């Protein structure tokens, strides 16, 4: 029973993490197939950046200029955003971000995007919280708590604007949301972090096992080593199970990094 319970918890944790990666990875995809092809074509062009070296043929001022691969990638990315933000025709008329547009224009004229970085590109937007992965995750986590605060402010304003018999109704609604705010706050700021820490600990516990055994002179994968007669051996089934688990953890980590890089420009 204990083994089955631990196995169910581990599977649930992996499913939860995989579901989170799936939601983050697909939430920003275009709805239409044509739109997806358009954006993936641009993405492929950005990722095909390369190191470029220009050589001047003038005999009096012969010199060479080298553009690094990262600079070329940033130039392509900034150029795409600049063109889309300045295009006022269909289907890009909805691409309106005055802050990003002004910032890209200034960088284009002053340095040709030489000093640009992914962090600066994410920060100089009309809604920087939406463009940054950590802010987006935090805002999503606190959405229910923030909703209660907004409802309290709304009903408080309504009670002030409508004095008289109707004010009692708005005050009752405000009091109900205040109670809800306390309950949601306890879950959000106390039980929520405890739960997340416990899930992370449960998720990483199999990673701790090989480290602990190695510190006590027991190598998990000693069964694969030649001349291992003098080494402590672990049962094949346990070795295979923990190897598969660690491999799946590595796959999930790579998918998470890929999501952050492709969808949110995290690095």
């Amino acid at each position: 029973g204990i083994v089955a319970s631990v196995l169910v918890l581990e599977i649930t944790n992996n499913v939860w993490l995989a579901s989170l990666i799936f939601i983050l990875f697909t939430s920003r995809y275009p709805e239409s197939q044509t739109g997806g092809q358009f954006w993936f074509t641009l993405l492929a062009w950005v990722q095909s950046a390369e190191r470029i070296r220009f050589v001047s043929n003038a005999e009096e001022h012969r010199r060479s200029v080298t553009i690094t691969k990262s600079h070329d990638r940033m130039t392509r990315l900034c150029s795409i955003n600049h063109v889309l933000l300045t295009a006022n025709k269909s289907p890009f008329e909805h691409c309106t971000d005055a802050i990003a547009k002004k910032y890209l224009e200034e960088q284009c004229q002053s340095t040709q995007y030489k000093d640009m970085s992914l962090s600066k590109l994410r920060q100089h937007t009309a809604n920087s919280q939406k463009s940054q992965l950590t802010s987006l995750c935090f805002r999503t986590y606190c959405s229910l708590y923030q909703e209660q605060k907004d409802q309290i402010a709304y009903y408080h304003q309504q009670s002030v604007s409508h004095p008289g018999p109707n004010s009692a109704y708005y005050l009752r609604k405000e009091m109900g949301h205040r109670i809800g705010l306390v309950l949601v706050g306890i879950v959000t700021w106390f039980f929520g972090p405890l739960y997340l820490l416990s899930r992370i600990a449960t998720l990483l516990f199999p990673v701790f096992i090989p480290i602990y055994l190695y510190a006590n002179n027991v190598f998990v994968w000693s069964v694969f080593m030649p001349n291992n007669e003098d080494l402590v051996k672990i049962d094949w089934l346990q070795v295979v199970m923990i190897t598969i688990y660690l491999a799946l953890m590595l796959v999930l980590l790579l998918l998470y990094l890929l999501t952050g890089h492709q969808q949110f420009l995290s690095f």
Side-chain angles (χ1 to χ4, degrees), residues 103 107 115-125:
Y103 181 71
Q107 293 297 317
D115 299 329
M116 286 293 295
S117 64
L118 294 177
S119 59
K120 292 180 180 179
L121 189 61
R122 294 195 309 271
Q123 293 171 2
H124 293 83
T125 60

Side-chain angles (χ1 to χ4, degrees), residues 11-126:
I11 294 175
T12 304
N13 282 333
N14 280 278
V15 172
W16 171 78
L17 182 58
S19 301
L20 176 63
I21 294 174
F22 177 79
I23 293 172
L24 292 175
F25 195 81
T26 58
S27 61
R28 296 163 65 93
Y29 279 172
E31 297 180 358
S32 63
Q33 183 178 2
T34 304
Q37 292 177 351
F38 173 77
W39 291 112
F40 279 118
T41 301
L42 293 179
L43 180 62
W45 180 65
V46 172
Q47 292 178 341
S48 64
E50 57 185 1
R51 185 173 181 271
I52 304 174
R53 184 169 181 267
F54 297 98
V55 180
S56 174
N57 294 324
E59 296 182 358
E60 298 179 356
H61 304 283
R62 189 175 182 85
R63 62 176 185 175
S64 63
V65 178
T66 302
I67 298 178
T68 62
K69 184 178 180 179
S70 59
H71 182 199
D72 186 31
R73 183 185 294 111
M74 281 304 308
T75 301
R76 298 186 184 197
L77 183 61
C78 293
S79 299
I80 292 174
N81 283 273
H82 193 184
V83 170
L84 294 179
L85 289 173
T86 54
N88 297 321
K89 298 181 180 179
S90 178
F92 305 114
E93 66 275 2
H94 65 281
C95 298
T96 56
D97 192 330
I99 297 177
K101 179 181 177 181
K102 180 180 178 181
Y103 181 71
L104 289 173
E105 288 177 349
E106 293 175 351
Q107 293 297 317
C108 179
Q109 296 175 2
S110 60
T111 63
Q112 291 294 311
Y113 308 124
K114 183 179 180 180
D115 299 329
M116 286 293 295
S117 64
L118 294 177
S119 59
K120 292 180 180 179
L121 189 61
R122 294 195 309 271
Q123 293 171 2
H124 293 83
T125 60

Side-chain angles (χ1 to χ4, degrees), residues 183-251:
L183 297 177
V184 173
I186 293 174
V187 174
T188 302
W189 304 116
F190 182 73
F191 291 108
L194 287 179
Y195 176 79
L196 290 177
L197 289 175
S198 66
R199 295 304 91 192
I200 294 174
T202 305
L203 192 67
L204 298 179
F205 181 71
V207 180
F208 170 76
I209 294 176
I211 299 176
Y212 175 79
L213 293 177
Y214 184 78
N216 290 273
N217 300 321
V218 179
F219 186 59
V220 174
W221 294 275
S222 61
V223 293
F224 300 106
M225 299 174 61
N227 302 322
N228 57 0
E229 291 79 6
D230 298 332
L231 300 177
V232 178
K233 297 181 182 179
I234 301 178
D235 185 71
W236 271 93
L237 179 61
Q238 300 180 46
V239 174
V240 171
M241 288 184 64
I242 196 169
T243 302
I244 294 176
Y245 183 90
L246 294 177
L248 291 176
M249 287 291 298
L250 180 61
V251 171

